[in-house]
Amino acid sequence: EAQVTQNPRYLITVTGKKLTVTCSQNMNHEYMSWYRQDPGLGLRQIYYSMNVEVTDKGDVPEGYKVSRKEKRNFPLILESPSPNQTSLYFCASRLSYREYSEAFFGQGTRLTVV
Amino acid sequence: AQTVTQSQPEMSVQEAETVTLSCTYDTSENNYYLFWYKQPPSRQMILVIRQEAYKQQNATENRFSVNFQKAAKSFSLKISDSQLGDTAMYFCAFPSSGTYKYIFGTGTRLKVLA
């Protein structure tokens, strides 16, 4: 089954404790990205990757890191989480970065930083 | 700057009635695609419908159709014969070929009433 798998689904952590949210897709998609969803703000892009070892900042990259060492995986790293990073996070993949390509989403990670 | 605007934060509709969700966007690109995604309470993001900007004909998928007006940069979603399962957050999205970003509106929360 074609899917984007994101883990964990729920995470509560303390300020400053490094964490990683994993994302994996089995569709051989080139393009992957991370979003955060906040009430009244919709989904905002954090980082995206157009292929292995090619990543770039989205609209809200501060406080986040990513890596793309393999085509299927695109983890999101919070080196020192802060309460303003409490949010719902989505990983998404697309066949390509071209405009016709629809996005496939993971199931979301609800992160709470206390 | 490329933007997507959804001006209706919340809407409700009676079961079996028709409802229209609005979306406007701003871009200087000539050839592009527009998408509507649905996010039910499960949080899973699901593609509802897509529209190719160079096509005159409005896209239709079963009970879902769009009213695409390119000159006005308007892309509204019409849901006919609303069902309880249509209760969800709906996002309008625009994948920018120029910036490689996927831009979302702030969403419209739709509630279908029995």
Side-chain angles (χ1 to χ4, degrees), chain B residues 58-59 65-69 74-78:
Chain B
N58 289 324
S65 62
V66 301
N67 181 6
F68 174 55
Q69 298 178 16
S74 172
F75 180 58
S76 59
L77 176 69
K78 186 171 88 170

Side-chain angles (χ1 to χ4, degrees), chain A residues 31 35 37 59 102-103 108, chain B residues 37 39 43 50 100-102:
Chain A
Y31 185 100
Y35 300 86
Q37 181 181 350
D59 295 316
E102 72 178 271
Chain B
Y37 285 88
Q39 185 183 47
R43 301 190 327 216
R50 88 182 80 193
Y100 307 119
K101 292 181 184 178
Y102 215 86

Side-chain angles (χ1 to χ4, degrees), chain B residues 64-109:
Chain B
F64 298 87
S65 62
V66 301
N67 181 6
F68 174 55
Q69 298 178 16
K70 190 174 183 180
K73 294 181 180 170
S74 172
F75 180 58
S76 59
L77 176 69
K78 186 171 88 170
I79 306 175
S80 305
D81 185 24
S82 297
Q83 301 175 358
L84 296 177
D86 296 333
T87 291
M89 180 76 90
Y90 288 82
F91 291 99
C92 179
F94 168 71
S96 166
S97 61
T99 65
Y100 307 119
K101 292 181 184 178
Y102 215 86
I103 304 166
F104 285 85
T106 52
T108 296
R109 187 175 300 280

